Structures are given as structure tokens and as C-alpha cells.
Amino acid sequence: MPVVETGRVVIVGAGLGALYAALNLAPRAVLLISPEPLGQGASSAWAQGGIAAAMAATDSPEAHAADTVRAGAGTVDAAVATSVTAEARAHILDLTAIGTPFDRDAQGGYVLSREAAHGLARVVRVRGDQAGREIMAALIAEVARTPSVQVLEGVMAVGLKVQGECVTGVAVAAADGASDPVLLQGAAVLLAGGGSGGLYALTTNPPRIRGQVIGMAARAGAVIADAEFVQFHPTAIDIGEDPAPLATEALRGEGAALINRDGRRFMLALHPDAELAPRDIVARAIFAETQAGRRPMLDTRAALGAAIVDRFPAVVEACHRGGIDPVTKAIPVAAAAHYHMGGIAVSKEGRSSLAGLWACGEASATGLHGANRLASNGLLEALVYGRRAARDIARGLNDAPQPKVVLALPQGGQQPAVDLIAELRRVMTDHVGVVRDAHGLKTALRRIAALEAQALGDANFLNMTATATLIAAAALLRQESRGAHCRRDFPAAKPELAQRSRLTLAEALALRQTVTETQE
Ligand code: SIN
């Protein structure tokens, strides 16, 4: 494989964590790998809710940390929750300083949304449901003003180069698959390329986010934590689009109700907080209504009426695409894979278990989210760990400018494995979804192995199957129900299992092999 010595920190990904880390590394030279033009294709840009931060006079980081720990169902690292929530305010002020147009009230205070399992309104937002897009726009403008950051667009990472126990480079290829790889060697590698939602047939994640970044770290030998904890969002708009558009939880914060085909508010009987119960509980209720054929819907009519048009423009636009007018009709919804709490295990500095490799954002597992992420803590975590990783990496580097990398990708490559990917996604939704059991998880492991055998060495697909294997294996090993991980064959939480999981790909593959050899 051709080798290019970049002299730069190589950042894989182009979402919030990636851009923020690149800015925090300045003036140290950075090469940022983005499969799509900046601002397109990253999960952060699709975030509707906003960023959780104790900005109100009546709030405190301690209260925010307590809600984070409570929502996480027994496996949040309390020290991580304390330190992340304590830093939240500073990051909101920094984003404001670079031009993020957060919604403000007449006195200049931040307008805050209420989302599920928060004790009070705590989510800073931009024009209702435009937070992700606007924060990303502000960061992209700042990156354009920062000469130390070089962005390579149209290129995707397909693997990591490991020498001894140290990551020394990233193999990249054309994002459409139409090239052979080139190895980019760098001063350090930061993985910030998103989670795994797109491994599922029903997801709110952008099309390229299919667990590849976690998978490539696992294939290089990195430890993966909490892989079994996949969060399903209760209110993906069910209009047959792939990915499914989101109806932000902030709508329920405004009083929108969940009803079924019979007009019944089914959450009232299930939790004292009804529609604002923790996300895993609402997602399972939606799933149950769907399975029972009772067509769950989000009814914003009484709470918002025509105001939804100005206050939640992204939701309204998606509804219109599906032929629904939310001013007069309830919005059909389904539970869809939304956020992976698990990922590359990292320290408080964002270091992975491999030297030379850092991770931040959804690709990482810091211990903040436990088994069920508190709403709008995802972007917060990406900011906190993007900066921490940048500072940790910077410690070992000088700030000498580096020449621009000129990349000539060799002709070749493989067509994306479209049919195999579609089948993998079906397997994950059918057998590793909202409700799981041993039989389904073993079926999934066998089918993932069979799909992998057909992949003809396609590195991009093998990165996906690595993550799929880790999720299914970790879910099989966790013989209890906890947070977003629901086992119908082990319906209760077991106090002795209230800890985070850690798994290597080698361990997950050994389990898969055993399962494959024992057909049931
Ligand atoms: C939402 O707006 O409902 C999603 C927010 C999140 O996933 O944190």
C-alpha cells in the first residue's frame, strides 16, 4: 500500500467532536478525513435537541450529573458524570463566542428545552430543532479560518496501521469505494467518526454511520466497552424513509402526547413521568404498540398547534415529505436505533487501550452514558472529550507548520457491498433490537459470520461486521435487562451485574465461533 507521511494529527470523522478537537489542536497541524463535504453526513449535524448544560440559575452541574447517573441505570461512571457536567457551561460559552446562534430570551439568557429524564429544562437549542446544523455551521466556519487544519473530503478511513501495540497510521480510500487504499502516517490518530445506528435497518443516523470506526479500532485490537448498550429513539417519524427522520424529544418537553390508533395515551399507565419517562422505557412502549399493530403516534396538536411550523421546522419538513400535516394530524412514530452508548473504551483524556490512538464522541465509550444516555448529553460529551483528547495529544507535539498533504488514490477498490449491508441491517433490527433473547442473538451471530464470509475482504464491510459482532456478543453475555439492553429471557436487572462491560474483538469472535459450531 502506498504510504504518505503527513506529519499531522490524523482525525477520522467530521462531526462535532472531530472539528472541535481540530480547533483545539491549533496551531498543531491536523488532517481531517471527511467522507462527505463538511457538514453533510455527520450525525452531529442531524441533532435536533441541542446540548445539555446547567445554564439556568436554578440548575447546577451536580443536578445534571445526578440526572445522568439516574438515567444510566446503574452503569454510569459517577466521576465522569461529575467532571463532564462541570465543564458543560464553559463549552457553551465557547461555542457562543465562535458564533453559534443559541436561542436567547429578552434578558440574554439561554432558552432551555426540557427533555426526558432531566429534572428541569436544561438543553440549549437553536431555532427549536436546528441545533446540530447551526453548531456545525459555526464550527465549519471556524475551521475555514484555521490554517493548521487541512480537510480531505471524499475520503473514508478503512483501517488502522498498528506496529507493536502502537497505532501509526490510517488506511484511507475513496469514499465511493472506487480506489485502493493509501496509508496516511501521522503524529497521532483521533477517531471521531460516529456510532453504529446505521447497522440497523431502522435508524435515525446518517447513511454512512454504520459502526465502521468502532469496528476498525476493534480490528486493530482496541478494547470496546459497553457494546451491548444501543439507544433506540422512541419517536423516529415512520414514513418509510431510510434513515428515518427524527421528531425531537423536545416536542414531548413542550407537552406533545403519545397516542395509539385508538387515541389512548399509553404512557400514562407505564411511568409517572408519562411521555417524559427515560428514553429506554418510552422506546419499549412504542415498540410494543407497533408490534401489537396499534400504530403509535406523536400528537403535537394540543401542545403546539400551528406554532410547530416556526418552532420545529425540521420536523414539519419531514412530516410534509411523508404527506402529513402535523398541525392537523398526529405524527406516526417508531423506535429506531439512534445512539450507541458503547464504543472504543477511553480514559478521561480520551486515550484508547492502544498507544497512539485516541477517540471521542459517539465512537468512544467514556462511562458517561451507562446503559441509557440522558438526552442531549451526546454533543456535550463530544465537546468535552474532543478538547481533552486534543490537549492530551498536543502535549507530545510541536507546532511546526506542515506542508499540505497531496493524496493520489490508486485506481481499483471494490463496489460497496450493498446487498450484504442491507442483510446485515435486517439481522440487527430483527435479532439485536429493542427486545432481545439468547435465541435471536445467537441467530444474529451466525448470520453475521455467514455474511462476513461473503465479503471478499471488503475492509469497510468487515469494519461493520466487527461492530455488529461486538454488539451481539456483548448482548448475549449480559444475562439481565438494564437500560436500553432488554432481554425477554432475563427481564430483571441483576444488582451483581451493575457494571460496565469490556470486550475485545478476539473475545467476541471466539464466542461467535462457539455459537456457530453449536447449531440449535
Ligand atoms: C432529540 O432531540 O430527541 C435527540 C436528542 C438526543 O438524542 O440527545
Side-chain angles (χ1 to χ4, degrees), residues 47-50 115 231 233 235 246-250 252 279 338-339 373-378:
Q48 292 185 356
E115 293 186 6
Q231 185 167 65
H233 198 291
T235 56
L246 191 66
T248 175
E249 203 162 271
R252 279 175 279 138
R279 193 173 279 183
H338 179 64
Y339 189 93
R373 181 182 59 106
L374 186 67
S376 291
N377 266 357

Side-chain angles (χ1 to χ4, degrees), residues 62 70 172 216 297 427 445:
E62 292 75 21
R70 199 173 311 113
V172 300
M216 78 180 66
M297 289 173 279
V427 167
L445 285 168

